[in-house]
Amino acid sequence: MKIMKKINLILGAILAVFAFTACTDEVEYDAAAPEKAQGVYFAETNSTIQLVSGQVAFDVEVGRVNSADAQEVAVSVISSTDSVGVLSIPSQVKFNAGDSVAYLTIACDLTKKSPITTLDVVLSIEGASPYEKSEMALTVKLPEWISLGNAVYVEDLVTGFFSVSNVAYYVEIQQHIDNPGRYRLVNPYGAAYPYNVEGDYDASKDYFMEIDATDPDGVVMPMFYSGMDWGYGEFAFISMASYYIDLKGNPFEAVKAAGYCGTFKDGVITFPVGGILVGMTNYNDFGLYQTNKSGMFAVYMPGVYESMASAKALSTKKSVVVNSKGALVEGVTLFAK
């Protein structure tokens, strides 16, 4: 009997609880929602930027949730391996009213010689909630080559081979960032070459004529495939010095002593008469022939020609060219930019 009383008491309590809860209004319970992100944020937490020659700036994207009003947000540099100031990072980014995206424009000064070619920077932005990307690790890869501007290129390689009039024209020249004695001309036998017409050259990519003037009295030109084809295969060039060093295995000093190297003097690169070889890949089993027959081949560093030539000559569309000693070179026409 005592057991039955206890069971009845328990059942009564359960029914009472049920009756109580059934008579009250239902209450829905939801777990507390996390704080909604309200501030600004970096679009990426990590970003890698590959700079190219001549580049002066790049953008880092910044977003925000509330876009109603104009806003200025502080940006700070937490850490940086940029010891020489190649990068100029603004201290704030500005949003226009109604914009949810703004760009932090970082300027680049590639004339500053960095001891390292990859810069690591960590940025922080104010106004982000714990749910937003308030920091970004930025990796900036510097270009291997930097542009110096336009050189004057006196051509005596193709012209020497075909015995036609020499021409001179402007070609972009670049300098190696780690070895300032190395230079390269950008597409010297592309659209800029006065004897070319459309279809004579490959315009799909860049071709570089590299000249190593690390030793100013021992200048060499490695094999250069030009991208130009006049029907006998692609033109290629190599200096006699590089031919004997790279293809024949002779020591540099012996080749230099024999007089095969070019020189770099007073801002002008020259090679001796017959000091460069030319070949066409489909002509005579890609045979190589001596060129620079007049010895007029020259590369004038930016500004050097202009300092030698007269203002009157520069004001005309075509003018004569001066050599490294400042004397006029007869029979050469400079085609303006």
Side-chain angles (χ1 to χ4, degrees):
M1 292 296 293
K2 291 182 178 180
I3 294 175
M4 288 301 298
K5 287 182 179 179
K6 288 183 178 180
I7 292 174
N8 289 334
L9 287 172
I10 293 171
L11 289 174
I14 293 173
L15 290 172
V17 172
F18 178 79
F20 176 78
T21 56
C23 294
T24 58
D25 294 333
E26 292 186 4
V27 177
E28 294 183 0
Y29 176 77
D30 291 329
E35 178 187 355
K36 184 178 179 181
Q38 295 293 327
V40 296
Y41 57 90
F42 287 112
E44 302 288 342
T45 53
N46 294 279
S47 181
T48 298
I49 305 294
Q50 175 63 69
L51 300 181
V52 298
S53 178
Q55 188 168 348
V56 296
F58 64 91
D59 291 331
V60 171
E61 183 177 335
V62 181
R64 63 175 178 168
V65 177
N66 293 331
S67 59
D69 300 323
Q71 185 180 12
E72 295 183 1
V73 181
V75 177
S76 58
V77 178
I78 297 178
S79 63
S80 174
T81 60
D82 180 14
S83 62
V84 297
V86 174
L87 306 178
S88 295
I89 301 173
S91 60
Q92 61 183 16
V93 62
K94 297 180 180 180
F95 289 89
N96 295 321
D99 289 348
S100 59
V101 174
Y103 294 94
L104 181 72
T105 299
I106 298 177
C108 318
D109 185 354
L110 297 180
T111 63
K112 294 184 177 179
K113 305 300 182 183
S114 174
I116 56 176
T117 56
T118 298
L119 307 178
D120 294 310
V121 180
V122 178
L123 302 177
S124 176
I125 193 165
E126 292 185 2
S129 80
Y131 305 102
E132 295 157 343
K133 303 168 185 175
S134 62
E135 293 185 5
M136 183 181 70
L138 184 65
T139 300
V140 181
K141 296 184 177 181
L142 301 180
E144 187 179 3
W145 300 84
I146 57 173
S147 180
L148 299 180
N150 288 320
V152 171
Y153 178 42
V154 182
E155 208 285 320
D156 192 36
L157 306 185
V158 177
T159 52
F161 183 74
F162 287 104
S163 298
V164 294
S165 298
N166 294 88
V167 291
Y169 48 102
Y170 289 95
V171 180
E172 181 189 357
I173 190 166
Q174 299 176 346
Q175 184 179 44
H176 196 275
I177 197 167
D178 293 325
N179 183 351
R182 288 173 58 192
Y183 301 92
R184 66 181 189 179
L185 298 175
V186 184
N187 299 317
Y189 292 95
Y193 186 41
Y195 285 122
N196 269 344
V197 296
E198 189 174 353
D200 286 343
Y201 56 92
D202 177 13
S204 67
K205 63 178 184 178
D206 291 327
Y207 291 82
F208 303 99
M209 173 188 280
E210 185 173 336
I211 299 175
D212 190 341
T214 304
D215 181 344
D217 296 315
V219 178
V220 297
M221 179 198 297
M223 180 70 80
F224 160 59
Y225 290 87
S226 66
M228 182 175 71
D229 184 348
W230 286 358
Y232 298 96
E234 185 178 13
F235 279 88
F237 310 93
I238 185 172
S239 68
M240 286 286 287
S242 290
Y243 173 82
Y244 283 118
I245 296 168
D246 299 339
L247 302 185
K248 297 298 182 181
N250 292 282
F252 168 77
E253 290 300 333
V255 172
K256 177 182 175 182
Y260 291 114
C261 292
T263 60
F264 182 28
K265 184 179 180 182
D266 299 327
V268 185
I269 295 172
T270 59
F271 281 90
V273 173
I276 301 176
L277 303 173
V278 59
M280 293 170 280
T281 54
N282 297 333
Y283 179 73
N284 197 19
D285 296 325
F286 194 19
L288 296 174
Y289 302 87
Q290 282 186 286
T291 187
N292 193 32
K293 294 181 179 179
S294 68
M296 288 186 179
F297 174 96
V299 177
Y300 293 80
M301 292 294 157
V304 172
Y305 165 75
E306 287 80 357
S307 68
M308 293 179 177
S310 67
K312 182 178 180 180
L314 286 173
S315 68
T316 62
K317 183 177 180 181
K318 298 179 180 180
S319 64
V320 292
V321 178
V322 292
N323 63 20
S324 59
K325 296 181 180 179
L328 296 178
V329 177
E330 298 296 334
V332 178
T333 300
L334 173 65
F335 287 77
K337 301 176 185 178

